[in-house]
Amino acid sequence: MRNKTALITGASRGLGKAIAEVFAKNKINLIINYNQSEKKAKELANFLQEEYQIRAIPIKCDVSDEREVEEMIKKISVEVNGIDIIINNAGISNDSILFDKTKTDFMEILETNLIGPFLVCKYATKIMEKGSIINISSTNAIDTNYPYSADYDASKAGLISLSNNLADSLAPNIRVNTIAAGWIETEMSKDLDEKFKKEEEKKILLERFASPKEIAEVVYFLTTEKASYINKSVIRVDGGYHE
Ligand SMILES: NC(=O)c1ccc[n+]([C@@H]2O[C@H](COP(=O)([O-])OP(=O)(O)OC[C@H]3O[C@@H](n4cnc5c(N)ncnc54)[C@H](OP(=O)(O)O)[C@@H]3O)[C@@H](O)[C@H]2O)c1
């Protein structure tokens, strides 16, 4: 049986990197997509290839740019015999007071976090017969509201809706699920004000943020045969939230 291939967007660092590591350990070949972190993506690909004897191909692509996404999928189709798994992980946030946000600010978040996964799925599913798609959303899409992230929250709520539509369109050969992650220790959350962070930790039953690996293991599980009947679902991984 041939090894599977997974395309992970935004795999240069943070959660995407942790997902790449878990997949590599499980002998899955990887397309390590990055936008700006070229050095990190290339180093990660080299390390994973040597450590786990898999193929790991770094490819630069801004997921919000349709032409770049189309080019990335063309490159992938030359390198590998189809894709089995897509992880739409690339994402950005830009905290600011609601009415200080410009239309350009808002659009930038939507284009990366929501239009990006749409474009990746539109082109990548052309070279995907069977398999699994996981979209990385957030508990912000459901019930945690911050006054500073209206654009991010809307993008992640839209991503849940997009996932459900993708599941309808791609059944029965491709399962599509969404992770609604709570706080994760990555660069996205590293500049939080200490007082705010402590308040947030108090709202989590496990009293701490997740490590990227704790989310990555759930992402991997959802792509395996053990999760063969989980489809069109939103899986919350947030340590248990309470107000
Ligand atoms: N951290 C949290 O608390 C948290 C909570 C819930 C959900 N999430 C979600 O988890 C996902 C990963 O976030 P993270 O915490 O790992 O953040 P991070 O450390 O800031 O990493 C973001 C990743 O996204 C990539 N990226 C950003 N814009 C891109 C674009 N236009 N095209 C391609 N790649 C792009 C970055 O690649 P380059 O560096 O190469 O540009 C980087 O690899 C995001 O979707 C985020 O919304 C995070």
Side-chain angles (χ1 to χ4, degrees):
M1 206 175 70
R2 73 175 177 87
N3 282 9
K4 289 183 176 167
T5 298
L7 162 60
I8 307 172
T9 68
S12 52
R13 58 194 170 88
L15 177 58
K17 180 181 177 188
I19 296 170
E21 285 168 343
V22 171
F23 278 23
K25 267 186 204 160
N26 286 286
K27 295 287 175 209
I28 293 174
N29 292 324
L30 297 171
I31 310 297
I32 303 211
N33 160 249
Y34 65 92
N35 186 29
Q36 292 175 359
S37 305
E38 180 177 2
K39 190 164 176 278
K40 284 184 183 169
K42 289 186 172 167
E43 281 172 2
L44 178 67
N46 285 339
F47 169 74
L48 295 177
Q49 289 207 134
E50 282 176 24
E51 186 77 11
Y52 300 109
Q53 307 297 304
I54 53 137
R55 275 194 85 191
I57 307 167
I59 301 187
K60 191 250 177 277
C61 164
D62 174 351
V63 296
S64 67
D65 182 319
E66 183 161 15
R67 192 189 53 76
E68 287 193 29
V69 173
E70 208 176 349
E71 274 306 307
M72 170 170 72
I73 303 305
K74 272 192 199 147
K75 281 184 199 154
I76 295 171
S77 61
V78 173
E79 293 284 343
V80 300
N81 194 14
I83 291 175
D84 307 277
I85 296 163
I86 302 171
I87 312 294
N88 280 304
N89 164 78
I92 53 171
S93 60
N94 177 17
D95 286 358
S96 55
I97 294 165
L98 180 57
F99 293 126
D100 284 352
K101 290 181 192 288
T102 63
K103 182 180 172 192
T104 308
D105 294 336
F106 215 110
M107 289 306 292
E108 196 189 342
I109 301 285
L110 291 182
E111 281 178 357
T112 301
N113 296 3
L114 178 58
I115 313 296
F118 160 69
L119 293 173
V120 170
C121 289
K122 176 175 162 132
Y123 290 98
T125 53
K126 291 184 203 294
I127 57 167
M128 181 175 184
E129 275 175 24
K130 238 177 128 29
S132 170
I133 298 175
I134 312 291
N135 293 320
I136 306 296
S137 182
S138 162
T139 49
N140 283 35
I142 305 170
D143 57 8
T144 49
N145 296 306
Y146 302 99
Y148 304 113
S149 57
D151 40 11
Y152 179 86
D153 302 354
S155 73
K156 293 298 185 182
L159 186 55
I160 292 178
S161 173
L162 174 67
S163 299
N164 292 339
N165 275 289
L166 287 167
D168 290 343
S169 302
L170 298 170
N173 289 331
I174 300 174
R175 294 182 294 110
V176 185
N177 290 296
T178 311
I179 296 271
W183 286 112
I184 313 166
E185 295 280 6
T186 65
E187 278 178 51
M188 190 178 271
S189 58
K190 85 172 181 348
D191 292 329
L192 289 177
D193 173 75
E194 265 311 306
K195 186 167 165 271
F196 177 75
K197 188 174 178 193
K198 288 219 155 49
E199 281 164 10
E200 287 302 303
E201 282 170 343
K202 277 191 207 146
K203 297 179 194 167
I204 302 168
L205 292 174
L206 297 184
E207 298 174 354
R208 62 178 176 83
F209 287 12
S211 72
K213 186 168 182 292
E214 287 175 304
I215 310 292
E217 291 287 357
V218 183
V219 173
Y220 171 67
F221 166 74
L222 289 173
T223 67
T224 65
E225 270 305 295
K226 289 183 181 163
S228 58
Y229 206 62
I230 303 181
N231 190 24
K232 202 180 174 181
S233 291
V234 181
I235 290 92
R236 234 185 134 108
V237 191
D238 66 351
Y241 182 78
H242 70 109
E243 276 292 0

